[in-house]
Amino acid sequence: MKAIVVTDQAAGTAGMTLMERPEPQAAINDVVVQVHASGFTWDELTWPSTWTDRLGRDRTPVIPGQELAGVVTTLGYGTTGLSVGQRVFGLSDSYRGGTLAEYVAIEARNLAPLPGDVDFTVGASVAMPGLTAWQGLFQHGRLQAGQSVLAHGAAGAVGSMVTQLAREAGGYVIGTGRAADRQKALDFGAQEFVDLDNDALEDAGGVDLVFDVIGGDIQKRSAGLIRAGGTLVTIAGPTEARPADGLAIDFVLVSDRAQLSEIVQRVRDGRLRTNIGYIATLDDAVAAFNRTERRKGKTIIRVRP
């Protein structure tokens, strides 16, 4: 099968190569999926789990990619809940990756059914941003109707999901980003927008929940905006600052079939729009991941026509 392969962590995406690799086999509780569309997280090649297994052993050459949508072709021993020929979407384990390929072996519990009226590119684009937003807002942030949310990177793949899900739950959303992101953030439902280059972040006032995707100085300043009892949730690593009277939580998402099903239902009925910035073929994937211009939204690889 064709796959994107990396062997050199220092080379980053420039070290990606399209080559032939053996098709994967389904272990116990696995399925093999014929990949139709795949996503890639921009900093995935910096994660330790991309390069070693859970015991710290080198696992190069590596096929990266966690996000996928496709069709089940094989069931491993003991696998239940899915069937051969079923359309699915979800995330592979970060220690396995493998979705930037024509086939991938993945734990069945990490996948959910993909309805026939949802395109594979949409399924691949919604899994990671959707789960990140869902778990940050509702599991860790415990968002309630009437609360205010400061959503950093509101025009990005994760931030646009945060904005939409928070609005649907009855939250008041203040989005942030660069000046050029203002209209896109508002289009996704932000009720206010803070230009981080030209506006004072502190003018956003007190909020109940900050959803941070940036880290660093922005994260530290955001902690000071949180009202008593509020929460800072971040996917940018351990928090360097905490709210004076609240919680700071950094988290790593986990795939969850029930949550994936909730998310894709919202896509189907129009409550949730995906944020796809660019679609490329597997043959063009290396060039797509090494573009020099800035692009908002997910880059999705269409593995099969």
Side-chain angles (χ1 to χ4, degrees):
M1 67 171 185
K2 290 195 294 186
I4 301 295
V5 175
V6 291
T7 57
D8 180 4
Q9 184 172 358
T13 55
M16 288 178 159
T17 305
L18 181 65
M19 59 189 300
E20 287 290 327
R21 294 293 296 163
E23 290 188 16
Q25 303 298 308
I28 294 173
N29 296 323
D30 275 359
V31 294
V32 173
V33 176
Q34 182 185 59
V35 181
H36 285 242
S38 174
F40 175 76
T41 304
W42 67 272
D43 61 345
E44 192 174 322
L45 300 186
T46 68
W47 302 347
S49 57
T50 298
W51 302 98
T52 63
D53 64 16
R54 283 185 167 82
L55 297 178
R57 298 173 300 198
D58 180 84
R59 65 181 189 90
T60 55
V62 173
I63 301 171
Q66 276 193 272
E67 304 151 85
L68 81 154
V71 175
V72 175
T73 60
T74 308
L75 302 181
Y77 180 78
T79 298
T80 60
L82 297 175
S83 57
V84 172
Q86 188 170 14
R87 300 171 95 249
V88 292
F89 77 117
L91 302 176
S92 73
D93 184 282
S94 64
Y95 286 91
R96 296 179 70 174
T99 68
L100 289 175
E102 292 181 306
Y103 293 89
V104 64
I106 182 171
E107 289 180 88
R109 65 187 178 95
N110 289 339
L111 299 170
L114 181 69
D117 56 355
V118 179
D119 190 79
F120 288 112
T121 56
V122 173
S125 70
V126 78
M128 184 172 285
L131 285 173
T132 301
W134 187 281
Q135 291 170 18
L137 288 171
F138 306 129
Q139 284 184 235
H140 303 296
R142 301 181 183 275
L143 178 67
Q144 302 294 318
Q147 292 185 324
S148 53
V149 179
L150 183 67
H152 286 306
V158 172
S160 60
M161 290 287 171
V162 170
T163 299
Q164 294 174 88
L165 289 173
R167 280 292 304 272
E168 186 201 10
Y172 183 88
V173 180
I174 305 166
T176 80
R178 297 179 177 176
D181 300 328
R182 179 184 300 273
Q183 192 56 52
K184 189 170 185 180
L186 296 174
D187 288 345
F188 274 110
Q191 287 139 301
E192 296 181 36
F193 183 81
V194 177
D195 173 359
L196 293 177
D197 291 329
N198 301 296
D199 299 334
L201 177 61
E202 288 69 22
D203 288 347
V207 296
D208 298 297
L209 174 64
V210 171
F211 200 119
D212 170 51
V213 299
I214 300 173
D217 181 61
I218 293 295
Q219 182 192 92
K220 291 179 184 178
R221 292 163 60 195
S222 298
L225 304 179
I226 295 173
R227 296 184 181 124
T231 307
L232 166 69
V233 294
T234 182
I235 58 171
T239 54
E240 299 180 42
R242 307 183 73 85
D245 185 16
L247 296 175
I249 300 171
D250 67 285
F251 75 99
V252 177
L253 82 159
V254 293
S255 196
D256 184 290
R257 182 177 293 172
Q259 292 173 6
L260 285 169
S261 296
E262 290 277 4
I263 290 163
V264 81
Q265 181 57 46
R266 284 162 171 77
V267 172
R268 293 182 76 193
D269 61 25
R271 287 178 286 164
L272 194 61
R273 290 188 292 126
T274 56
N275 190 353
I276 299 175
Y278 186 71
I279 299 175
T281 66
L282 189 60
D283 288 341
D284 296 330
V286 173
F289 292 136
N290 284 282
R291 297 178 72 93
T292 54
E293 75 270 22
R294 178 172 172 264
R295 182 186 290 120
K296 281 290 183 182
K298 292 291 297 183
T299 293
I300 295 299
I301 303 306
R302 185 85 194 201
V303 179
R304 296 182 63 81

